[in-house]
Amino acid sequence: MPNRNPRMTLNRFLVERQRQHPNATGRFTRFMGQIGTVAKIISNYMRRAAIEGLIGQTGDANVQGEQVKILDDLGNRVFVEAFEYVDMVGMIVSEEMESARSVEADNTSDKSYAVMVDPVDGSSNIDVNGIIGSIFSVHDIIGTAKESCQQKGAEQVAAGYMIYGPSTVLVYTAGYGVHSFVLDHTIGEFVLMHASITMPERGNIFSANLGNYNKWHTGAQRYTDAFMDEANGPYSLRYSGALLADLHQILHRGGVYYYPAEIERPEGKLRLLYECAPLAMIAEQAGGAATDGHKRIMEIDPDNIHQRSPLFIGSKHEVAMIQD
Ligand code: AHM
Ligand code: MG
């Protein structure tokens, strides 16, 4: 049941959770406060983008060779600036930055988190008022910058995403369930929407870019055919062009999102550290699953910060079908 208590703000929820962990230092609560601020700033940019002339491209390409949109760049700056002023973030990896960035410490800070972000996911939707969002993943700093930034998803301390849609929604997990909050613009606060979300074990949505069908291996083609076979369904196709919007729907209704390997692009499209792994943590925490087709996403050891991976994510039943 949705929680409609408007007084359960994100901050109060985090403080109450913190009390359940006697050794907690408040570091995660403060970090999430900053994520909330980032979400409000980016959401505001999104709402005003067409009016302020923020639609379109900067003219630069990012490290992946993709055209950078003005809002990609702005979103990245909002995250970096926010993390530069908190005491616990020591390393930032972003889709929009070629290498990991370290944040200078002063003598009051405890630089113990390495954070990976996709500041604006689904950027191709920006120009047409489609849904977009941000994704974040948090690791503890463990030794060198490389070791800290290239950990398995299973080592994540927390993960989450924001959706800038009809309302601005923030979803996170810190390893104790998945919780969602909606931004109440009238008071400028995120308020609890759903605590401890559980994904249906089986659903009726499949979500993939079927325009790529002929680029896939026969396994992914047969997988897709199964969803269109009435004997297995019925399934509905939903595909927004923003992974987190598709996953968010599946989180509540069940089903699967997939972006498989292509014959010419065996690594797929999506990035492991700031797209696949954080969403895999969310899916698993909600009782779902995420795999690259062979291996649990959370168990993949990254070789580089912008590594890509095929992804099948959602309800246990539909994700297991790819292994079959
Ligand atoms: P982006 O981070 O550059 O926006 O790319 C990731 C997005 C996903 O959110 C989405 O599901 C996918 O790319 C869409 O790609 P395609 O247009 O190839 O279907
Ligand atoms: Mg993305």
Side-chain angles (χ1 to χ4, degrees), residues 266-284:
E267 70 286 8
K269 174 181 183 186
L270 301 173
R271 275 54 54 108
L272 179 63
L273 287 183
Y274 42 81
E275 291 179 326
C276 303
L279 298 181
M281 184 177 184
I282 294 273
E284 290 194 2

Side-chain angles (χ1 to χ4, degrees), residues 7 9 20 60 75 88 93 124 138 141 218 221 228 236-237 240 250 269 275-276 293 303 322:
R7 279 166 300 184
T9 62
Q20 294 166 10
D60 298 326
M88 79 298 286
V93 167
S124 64
V138 185
I141 288 181
T218 48
Q221 291 178 334
M228 295 196 276
S236 293
L237 171 66
S240 69
I250 289 162
K269 174 181 183 186
E275 291 179 326
C276 303
D303 288 330
I322 190 64

Side-chain angles (χ1 to χ4, degrees), residues 66 72 95-96 117-123 133 135 241 243-244 269-271 274-275:
E66 299 155 347
D72 281 328
E95 176 174 343
E96 303 306 332
V117 295
D118 180 353
V120 177
D121 183 59
S123 330
I135 309 175
L243 156 68
L244 35 70
K269 174 181 183 186
L270 301 173
R271 275 54 54 108
Y274 42 81
E275 291 179 326

Side-chain angles (χ1 to χ4, degrees), residues 206-224 227 239 243 256-270 276 291-294 297 308-313 322:
F206 75 110
S207 182
N209 186 343
L210 296 200
N212 291 334
Y213 188 91
N214 290 328
K215 299 180 187 166
W216 297 339
H217 295 278
T218 48
Q221 291 178 334
R222 286 209 313 272
Y223 184 64
T224 304
F227 295 123
Y239 192 71
L243 156 68
V256 65
Y257 167 100
Y258 53 106
Y259 209 110
E262 292 170 9
I263 293 161
E264 307 266 308
R265 190 162 64 157
E267 70 286 8
K269 174 181 183 186
L270 301 173
C276 303
T291 157
D292 68 356
H294 304 280
I297 291 288
R308 294 173 194 262
S309 169
L311 176 67
F312 298 80
I313 185 168
I322 190 64

Side-chain angles (χ1 to χ4, degrees), residues 6 39 44 47-48 54 70 73 80 113 134 160 164 168 197 209 219 232 255 260 263 266 272 297 301 307:
N44 197 43
R47 293 197 317 158
R48 302 216 29 96
L54 301 176
I70 297 172
D73 185 46
V80 170
Y113 283 161
S134 307
Y164 315 108
T168 297
I197 300 171
N209 186 343
N232 300 321
I263 293 161
L272 179 63
I297 291 288
D301 241 324
Q307 179 168 330

Side-chain angles (χ1 to χ4, degrees), residues 4-296:
R4 305 218 183 273
N5 178 354
R7 279 166 300 184
M8 182 53 90
T9 62
L10 174 62
N11 190 55
R12 183 175 146 198
F13 185 85
L14 288 162
V15 168
E16 287 189 6
R17 291 266 149 169
Q18 189 188 318
R19 287 207 191 105
Q20 294 166 10
H21 300 273
N23 298 328
T25 59
R27 152 182 94 140
F28 183 67
T29 300
R30 294 198 307 284
F31 171 79
M32 283 303 294
Q34 203 65 354
I35 287 285
T37 304
V38 165
K40 288 179 214 172
I41 298 172
I42 299 182
S43 145
N44 197 43
Y45 276 133
M46 298 302 174
R47 293 197 317 158
R48 302 216 29 96
I51 299 155
E52 308 274 355
L54 301 176
I55 305 281
Q57 293 166 355
T58 60
D60 298 326
N62 67 13
V63 58
Q64 351 249 346
E66 299 155 347
Q67 283 299 312
V68 177
K69 306 253 181 193
I70 297 172
L71 281 171
D72 281 328
D73 185 46
L74 263 176
N76 189 54
R77 276 195 272 157
V78 172
F79 269 104
V80 170
E81 277 168 24
F83 292 155
E84 279 179 344
Y85 294 103
V86 284
D87 53 345
M88 79 298 286
V89 177
M91 303 290 313
I92 311 169
V93 167
S94 165
E95 176 174 343
E96 303 306 332
M97 303 191 303
E98 189 164 352
S99 42
R101 181 170 176 142
S102 62
V103 183
E104 256 174 52
D106 57 35
N107 52 16
T108 60
S109 46
D110 156 37
K111 297 288 182 198
S112 47
Y113 283 161
V115 184
M116 283 90 218
V117 295
D118 180 353
V120 177
D121 183 59
S123 330
S124 64
N125 283 352
I126 291 174
D127 302 354
V128 293
N129 196 30
I131 288 193
I132 42 188
S134 307
I135 309 175
F136 63 92
S137 157
V138 185
H139 283 275
D140 278 324
I141 288 181
I142 47 149
T144 67
K146 191 172 169 196
E147 284 161 353
S148 302
C149 295
Q150 295 185 23
Q151 302 182 61
K152 287 180 186 169
E155 309 297 339
Q156 288 171 106
V157 172
Y161 59 84
M162 289 82 105
I163 299 183
Y164 315 108
S167 42
T168 297
V169 170
L170 187 154
V171 177
Y172 88 90
T173 180
Y176 301 92
V178 176
H179 319 296
S180 69
F181 299 81
V182 61
L183 180 58
D184 180 343
H185 285 278
T186 59
I187 56 169
E189 295 275 2
F190 278 98
V191 292
L192 183 64
M193 213 159 59
H194 300 275
S196 305
I197 300 171
T198 39
M199 189 176 333
E201 285 225 1
R202 177 177 190 156
N204 57 8
I205 292 173
F206 75 110
S207 182
N209 186 343
L210 296 200
N212 291 334
Y213 188 91
N214 290 328
K215 299 180 187 166
W216 297 339
H217 295 278
T218 48
Q221 291 178 334
R222 286 209 313 272
Y223 184 64
T224 304
D225 297 344
F227 295 123
M228 295 196 276
D229 179 347
E230 264 182 35
N232 300 321
Y235 279 93
S236 293
L237 171 66
R238 295 280 183 273
Y239 192 71
S240 69
L243 156 68
L244 35 70
D246 295 325
L247 181 67
H248 191 67
Q249 186 169 174
I250 289 162
L251 194 61
H252 290 284
R253 298 191 180 151
V256 65
Y257 167 100
Y258 53 106
Y259 209 110
E262 292 170 9
I263 293 161
E264 307 266 308
R265 190 162 64 157
E267 70 286 8
K269 174 181 183 186
L270 301 173
R271 275 54 54 108
L272 179 63
L273 287 183
Y274 42 81
E275 291 179 326
C276 303
L279 298 181
M281 184 177 184
I282 294 273
E284 290 194 2
Q285 281 289 317
T291 157
D292 68 356
H294 304 280
K295 198 171 180 180
R296 194 175 150 229

